[in-house]
Amino acid sequence: MARGSIGKNNWALLIMILAGVVLGGLIGQLASGVSALSWLNYGQTFGLSNPLVLDFGILVLTFGLTIKITIAGILGIVLAILIYHFI
């Protein structure tokens, strides 16, 4: 049998991690207004503050990426990995 059919699907893990990041970010944004839960939205933002623009005359490409890592996002990733591991 092929290795992929024996173990779990790595694409499913990636999708679950991405869902954990999105849901964790959403929960962090919602919790930022509650004083007791505002620590969930604490985090660091990094990336390109100004997008990189390449102008080729007839084609203009714009590249930009900003990532915000929060406590809620990290908890979402950990929860997604635990759910994937135990299912």
Side-chain angles (χ1 to χ4, degrees), residues 3-82:
R3 180 181 174 272
S5 63
I6 295 172
K8 293 185 176 182
N9 189 355
N10 291 333
W11 288 107
L13 176 61
L14 179 67
I15 289 174
M16 288 187 71
I17 288 174
L18 289 175
V21 168
V22 170
L23 288 175
L26 176 67
I27 290 170
Q29 287 291 326
L30 293 175
S32 65
V34 180
S35 62
L37 298 175
S38 64
W39 59 273
L40 286 172
N41 201 33
Y42 177 77
Q44 183 69 33
T45 302
F46 59 93
L48 296 172
S49 59
N50 295 324
L52 175 67
V53 178
L54 298 174
D55 189 357
F56 295 116
I58 60 169
L59 177 67
V60 177
L61 297 174
T62 305
F63 299 100
L65 177 68
T66 302
I67 298 174
K68 182 177 182 183
I69 302 294
T70 62
I71 301 291
I74 292 171
L75 291 175
I77 291 171
V78 170
L79 186 63
I81 292 172
L82 287 175

